Amino acid sequence: MKVSFIEPPPVTARAPERFAGCTYELYHFPDLVNLSAFTCLARAGFDVRYLDAALEGMREEGFRRWLATDDADVYVLHGVILSKPTDLAAIRLILAARPAARIVVHGPEPTRVPAEYLVDPRVIVIRGEAEWAIVKFLAEGDPTGTSRLDGFEGKERRVVHAPIGPDRPFDELPIPARDHPAYRRYLYRFANPKFRAFPFMTMVASRGCSFRCTYCVPTSSSFSREMEAYRLGAAKPKAKIASSARVVAEFQDLARLGFRSVMCLDDQFLWAKPRTLEICRGVEGLGIEWGCLSRADFLIDEEVVKALAAAGCASIDIGVESLNQAVLDSVQKDLSVADVHRAVEFLDRHGIRAKLNIMIGVSPLETEDSLRGTLEQVHAMPVTEVMFSVATPFKGTPYHDQFQRDGFLVDDTEAIDPMGKAVIRLPHLAPERIEEIAREAYRAFYLRPRIAWRRVTSARSVGDLWRDAKIAA
């Protein structure tokens, strides 16, 4: 059986970022979710292919020509809410061009609303995590974890949902087959301006997060698990975390392939101190410059921060959201503002760049005064990178239901944009003002001479400067 994994050309003005799943691209990252399922099928003996049409700059006409020459039996798409228009358009094109082929769609949005993707009996949705379900479905016809079209009742689609299978440990997943012949042509085409070393790659070593922040939209593979749980009215699933040995093994594989910089995209990469120190000892000496995402309270032990620096960690993204304690408490962040300051101090002391993620309007308690206090604290910190996003309740989440129930959700569109479009009205902040504050925050932070000079002097090439200019615009 021939299986083509595809990231189709976007039909929206901006390409959706599929791994994080909650924003549009600033620069293109590998879709590790599709690559993981690709790897599992390759291990099972399937003839797998891979098309990243977005990376290749392919548009609809080029995609049509590619479909006319491809002879796959099955096409696999990984969908998130922002990619839905693109994915539905691609499904229609595939159905028309390849009448004998089947289509498998997976990801958080197909898990949330499978019926919207089941436009034809040849389309199958895999809900939750896709890797083991897609192997069993294509190899054995096992429907576990799938949703399929079973006819119509009037204009409504009648859908059959098979229950998902048992959860399996993260360590059972194979390391992504990045050097597979079908994927190799993409290997060294990714870049991230925050790292000086090249070539660049991403990795992930967990699914989910053990914390209870109300606003959270995790990375796509984690979000698929949560969407299935919420769809059934169940609690958020427990996090699955790779062992330190599994993490080190993937770093070693990346070093073998010649990667010099790596971004770990886990919602929370750092966990218990012994595991972190084991990872650092295993990674030290590989010559890889790397970064990760972490809560601040995993960075208030200076021994941990020192070990991270010695292992080559150069950058850590910290989900701060607010530096007002009452706001943090209201969204169940379970984090103290003092810990954020302490974490940034330790990172700066040991030469690791801290990037702070601030969410404008994250809580109904937010006011202009609380936001001003957050921004003043950010300006006083030794950081040169901050991301200001607009709080966005995603459909299917308890956060969305809460804001809708309380009357704060004023625009329930799926054409969301957490980087600039407000869909909520808070007691003290209108949506237009939330958007203005986000823009003002960016200008106030990045147009300071010290920050602007740092961005210019840290650029590796004219291309980096051009990307920075586009991001700034």
Side-chain angles (χ1 to χ4, degrees):
M1 188 182 295
K2 301 170 183 176
V3 185
S4 287
F5 286 76
I6 59 175
E7 182 170 344
V11 300
T12 49
R14 291 176 294 166
E17 204 295 306
R18 290 178 183 262
F19 181 77
C22 61
T23 188
Y24 294 98
E25 290 184 344
L26 293 177
Y27 24 84
H28 192 74
F29 280 173
D31 184 354
L32 294 178
V33 183
N34 235 8
L35 185 58
S36 184
F38 167 95
T39 302
C40 288
L41 281 184
R43 291 285 186 92
F46 286 81
D47 178 358
V48 291
R49 300 92 177 274
Y50 204 102
L51 173 71
D52 188 335
L55 182 61
E56 295 190 14
M58 186 182 290
R59 307 307 297 175
E60 181 181 322
E61 187 53 40
F63 185 55
R64 288 178 184 272
R65 289 195 298 269
W66 179 83
L67 284 172
T69 61
D70 191 65
D71 62 348
D73 303 297
V74 180
Y75 293 87
V76 181
L77 292 85
H78 163 230
V80 298
I81 189 168
L82 294 178
S83 72
K84 187 190 288 185
T86 291
D87 298 332
L88 292 177
I91 288 170
R92 290 191 291 269
L93 290 174
I94 296 168
L95 290 172
R98 308 294 304 166
R102 290 181 293 174
I103 302 172
V104 174
V105 191
H106 64 103
E109 189 63 3
T111 297
R112 183 181 75 87
V113 284
E116 294 188 17
Y117 292 81
L118 297 174
V119 297
D120 186 277
R122 288 174 287 164
V123 183
I124 296 292
V125 166
I126 291 181
R127 307 185 319 279
E129 292 179 284
E131 290 92 349
W132 306 120
I134 195 171
V135 172
K136 291 180 72 66
F137 176 70
L138 294 182
E140 306 168 16
D142 186 335
T144 299
T146 66
S147 295
R148 62 178 177 84
L149 185 65
D150 191 40
F152 292 84
E153 294 178 359
K155 293 184 179 181
E156 296 295 318
R157 295 168 189 159
R158 188 169 61 250
V159 176
V160 175
H161 304 291
I164 63 172
D167 213 3
R168 297 175 65 167
F170 189 93
D171 278 17
E172 291 187 12
L173 287 171
I175 292 172
R178 296 179 176 92
D179 57 347
H180 187 285
Y183 191 79
R184 193 177 296 145
R185 70 183 185 276
Y186 299 125
L187 260 192
Y188 306 113
R189 297 176 60 180
F190 303 101
N192 187 335
K194 73 164 60 179
F195 298 110
R196 288 184 172 274
F198 184 84
F200 165 80
M201 182 47 66
T202 58
M203 65 174 280
V204 65
S206 64
R207 299 270 166 93
C209 175
S210 295
F211 296 89
R212 59 183 191 135
C213 311
T214 60
Y215 56 84
C216 183
V217 176
T219 55
S220 178
S221 52
S222 302
F223 204 29
S224 294
R225 301 174 75 224
E226 293 187 12
M227 283 293 98
E228 176 65 4
Y230 296 152
R231 193 183 69 84
L232 298 174
K236 174 182 173 178
K238 293 182 179 180
K240 302 197 303 186
I241 306 164
S243 65
S244 57
R246 170 64 167 74
V247 176
V248 171
E250 185 156 355
F251 264 105
Q252 290 171 337
D253 192 61
L254 291 167
R256 174 186 65 83
L257 294 171
F259 290 104
R260 300 287 310 285
S261 58
V262 173
M263 185 65 189
C264 304
L265 294 175
D266 304 63
D267 303 298
Q268 168 62 39
F269 181 72
L270 304 181
W271 292 93
K273 179 177 179 178
R275 175 181 179 272
T276 298
L277 295 181
E278 288 170 3
I279 291 171
C280 290
R281 286 192 292 269
V283 172
E284 190 174 351
L286 292 180
I288 292 178
E289 177 191 11
W290 60 279
C292 66
L293 288 75
S294 176
R295 285 174 57 95
D297 46 5
F298 284 86
L299 297 165
I300 57 175
D301 184 326
E302 192 167 9
E303 183 184 359
V304 167
V305 176
K306 187 176 180 181
L308 289 166
C313 182
S315 174
I316 295 183
D317 289 29
I318 304 175
V320 174
E321 324 323 335
S322 173
L323 288 169
N324 178 285
Q325 192 63 56
V327 169
L328 288 183
D329 294 344
S330 73
V331 296
Q332 300 178 10
K333 183 73 176 178
D334 297 333
L335 178 72
S336 76
V337 171
D339 281 349
V340 177
H341 283 275
R342 189 177 181 192
V344 170
E345 176 190 346
F346 284 159
L347 292 174
D348 182 59
R349 183 181 301 173
H350 293 281
I352 299 176
R353 298 188 310 278
K355 176 189 170 188
L356 307 184
N357 297 323
I358 305 295
M359 192 175 292
I360 309 297
V362 68
S363 162
L365 296 184
E366 197 81 88
T367 65
E368 295 221 17
D369 284 344
S370 68
L371 285 168
R372 189 176 303 110
T374 290
L375 299 178
E376 288 173 354
Q377 290 181 68
V378 168
H379 284 210
M381 290 180 174
V383 296
T384 58
E385 297 176 45
V386 182
M387 183 175 77
F388 301 99
S389 62
V390 171
T392 305
F394 274 59
K395 288 186 175 182
T397 65
Y399 190 57
H400 174 276
D401 295 345
Q402 173 198 336
F403 271 62
Q404 188 174 57
R405 184 172 57 250
D406 294 343
F408 299 137
L409 190 65
V410 295
D411 185 352
D412 210 16
T413 178
E414 292 181 354
I416 51 180
D417 182 6
M419 295 306 295
K421 179 180 179 180
V423 296
I424 57 175
R425 179 185 298 276
L426 301 181
H428 309 288
L429 291 168
E432 299 80 11
R433 186 58 185 142
I434 291 173
E435 294 172 2
E436 288 174 0
I437 291 173
R439 290 193 296 269
E440 291 168 1
Y442 268 113
R443 288 196 295 267
F445 183 83
Y446 281 102
L447 294 183
R448 289 183 294 162
R450 178 175 68 88
I451 302 300
W453 178 247
R454 171 65 182 271
R455 300 292 294 188
V456 171
T457 56
S458 64
R460 297 169 303 168
S461 65
V462 173
D464 282 354
L465 291 173
W466 176 240
R467 274 190 295 271
D468 250 15
K470 289 195 291 184
I471 292 168

